[in-house]
Amino acid sequence: MQPSTDDLLIRQISALISATADAASTSSEHTPFMEARLYETLAAHCAEKQRLAAAFARSGAGKTRRGLIYW
């Protein structure tokens, strides 16, 4: 059974965050804190995108005759 697209995306994001935290940390002791900060930043960014998408959908600005939203 192959992993889903969501699983692959999550793995890629996790690997990127780990590599970024490792590269940005001055010592290995700081890496977990840097990772936590990066995840918090990502979560805030995703929450803002979700809020904007919901507002866009409610406004009807992105709807076509079939009700699809295009970005």
Side-chain angles (χ1 to χ4, degrees), residues 20-71:
T20 303
D22 190 43
S25 297
T26 55
S27 74
S28 60
E29 293 175 0
H30 294 114
T31 301
F33 299 106
M34 180 65 74
E35 274 191 52
R37 185 169 161 216
L38 290 169
Y39 276 114
E40 288 173 358
T41 302
L42 178 62
H45 177 75
C46 290
E48 178 66 12
K49 289 287 188 183
Q50 194 171 25
R51 186 189 68 75
L52 291 172
F56 185 71
R58 281 192 307 270
S59 74
K63 291 188 177 180
T64 65
R65 284 184 255 157
R66 294 184 182 179
L68 299 174
I69 297 174
Y70 292 93
W71 295 95

